[in-house]
Amino acid sequence: MIRKEELALVKEWDKTFAKSDKVDHSKVTFVNRYGITLAADMYIPKDAEGRLPAIAVSGPFGAVKEQCSGLYAQTMAERGFLTIAFDPSFTGESGGQPRYMASPDINTEDFMAAVDFLSLYERVDPDRIGIIGICGWGGMAINTAALDTRIKATVASTMYDMTRVNANGYFDSEDSEEQRYAHRTAMCAQRLADLKAGEYALGGGVIDPLPEDAPYFVKDYHAYYKTDRGYHARSLNSNGGWNVIGCESFMNQPILKYSNEIRSAVMVMHGDKAHSFYFGKDAFDNMVNGNKYTDNKELLVIEGASHTDLYDGGANGAIPFDKLQEFFEKYL
C-alpha cells in the first residue's frame, strides 16, 4: 500500500516574491518511489478550462519552493501552464529522514514523482508535461529527462552538475585522485564523528558576514540567500546548509552519463557572467555529442547575467520568460 505522510504545511503566503492575482495557488503532496512524501505549491491560471500543459519546477540546490522555483512556477502559470514547485526529499516542507541529505538517485526520483503526480492530475494533459531545474537541479532535470520518456521538454537554468563539483571541486581545481582520496577520507571520518555525537553536523550555508576578500561567486550567493531578496527560514543555503556528509555519494555518480540519449526537447539556459557557466556549456556539448536528436536542443546564453540573476531576474530582469513560454508552447 502506497501511503502519504501527513505533512504540516504552512497555510499563509510566505514566499520571497509577491503573490500573483492571475493564478490560483494551493498546496499539494505526492509520494516518490522511496515512500517519501513531497510538498509542492501548485499554480493554475485563473479561469483556465480543460486539461492544461504542465511544468514541474525545483531548485536551486539547497533552496526551497518559496524562493526562485516558486517564482518560475507562478510566472509560467501566468502564461497558461499548470505548474508545481516542489521541495526535494529531506528538505523544506517535504518529508524524509534524516534531514538535509541529498542523493543523485532519490533527487532524480523526486522529479519523476512530480511527473507521476501531474500525469494523474485531472487538470493536466499527461502528454504535455515538462520540467524546469534551477542550479543543481538543472543537472538533475537533465538526468531525469534521460530517464523519463514522459517528459516532453526540459529547461536547465543556471545549472550545476553536482556530481562534477563534488568530485572535482569548483572550476575542477581539485580534479585529482589524491584530492578525491583526501575528500573521501574526511567524509568517512565525519560519518563516525556524527554517530558518536548522535547527530549530523551541518556544513554551513552561505557564509555570513561576508569577508571582504570573498570570491565573486560567494558574493553573488550572499546577495541572494542572505538578504531580503531571497532569504527564507527553511532554506538550507540561507541558514545552516546541508549535512557535512549530505552529498557524499555525489562524488562517484556522474549523473549526465546518458544525456546524449535524450530524445525530447532540452534548453540549457545560462548567464555568461555566471561562475557556473562552464557547467552549462559542457553539459550542452555532452548532450548533443553523438545524439541523433539535436534539432530540439538549445543553449541559450544570457549576456551579462550572473548565476543568481537567473534565480529571480536580478537587477535587470534577466530571466527570459518570453523565451521559456515560447519553448514550452512549442514542445508541450
Side-chain angles (χ1 to χ4, degrees), residues 174-188:
E174 299 174 3
D175 185 12
S176 71
E177 186 274 338
E178 291 81 5
Q179 288 174 299
R180 276 187 286 275
Y181 184 82
H183 191 184
R184 291 166 180 145
T185 300
M187 289 296 101
C188 290

Side-chain angles (χ1 to χ4, degrees), residues 26-199:
S26 61
K27 291 285 186 78
V28 297
T29 59
F30 51 93
V31 182
N32 70 18
R33 68 185 171 95
Y34 291 101
I36 299 171
T37 302
L38 304 181
D41 286 298
M42 177 181 286
Y43 301 90
I44 303 178
K46 284 187 180 294
D47 303 321
E49 298 181 356
R51 291 180 176 265
L52 301 173
I55 304 170
V57 191
S58 196
F61 196 78
V64 289
K65 64 188 182 304
E66 289 74 22
Q67 295 172 304
C68 57
S69 62
L71 173 64
Y72 272 70
Q74 179 176 260
T75 305
M76 295 308 293
E78 291 178 330
R79 293 165 180 259
F81 302 87
L82 185 151
T83 64
I84 58 171
F86 65 90
D87 286 328
S89 295
F90 313 113
T91 65
E93 292 187 302
S94 288
Q97 292 291 336
R99 305 302 287 169
Y100 313 143
M101 293 293 186
S103 160
D105 181 18
I106 295 175
N107 294 149
T108 298
E109 165 60 22
D110 289 342
F111 253 133
M112 295 189 72
V115 175
D116 290 341
F117 171 78
L118 291 173
S119 296
L120 297 176
Y121 192 67
E122 66 271 12
R123 296 295 308 278
V124 171
D125 181 342
D127 294 321
R128 302 170 70 194
I129 295 175
I131 60 175
I132 299 174
I134 307 162
C135 183
W137 278 80
M140 296 295 181
I142 292 175
N143 190 43
T144 308
L147 186 61
D148 195 328
T149 59
R150 299 169 299 177
I151 296 170
K152 300 303 188 293
T154 299
V155 168
S157 177
T158 194
M159 68 155 285
Y160 262 55
D161 176 351
M162 293 305 302
T163 54
R164 179 176 176 180
V165 75
N166 274 278
N168 299 349
Y170 278 101
F171 315 112
D172 297 325
S173 61
E174 299 174 3
D175 185 12
S176 71
E177 186 274 338
E178 291 81 5
Q179 288 174 299
R180 276 187 286 275
Y181 184 82
H183 191 184
R184 291 166 180 145
T185 300
M187 289 296 101
C188 290
Q190 186 64 50
R191 294 172 68 98
L192 299 183
D194 289 345
L195 289 171
K196 290 176 181 177
E199 60 183 4

Side-chain angles (χ1 to χ4, degrees), residues 8-17 19 25-27 41 43 65-66 93 232 234:
L9 303 177
V10 174
K11 295 181 179 180
E12 65 270 14
W13 186 264
D14 64 343
K15 322 301 184 194
T16 60
F17 51 92
K19 187 176 184 180
H25 164 262
S26 61
K27 291 285 186 78
D41 286 298
Y43 301 90
K65 64 188 182 304
E66 289 74 22
E93 292 187 302
H232 197 279
R234 287 192 295 276

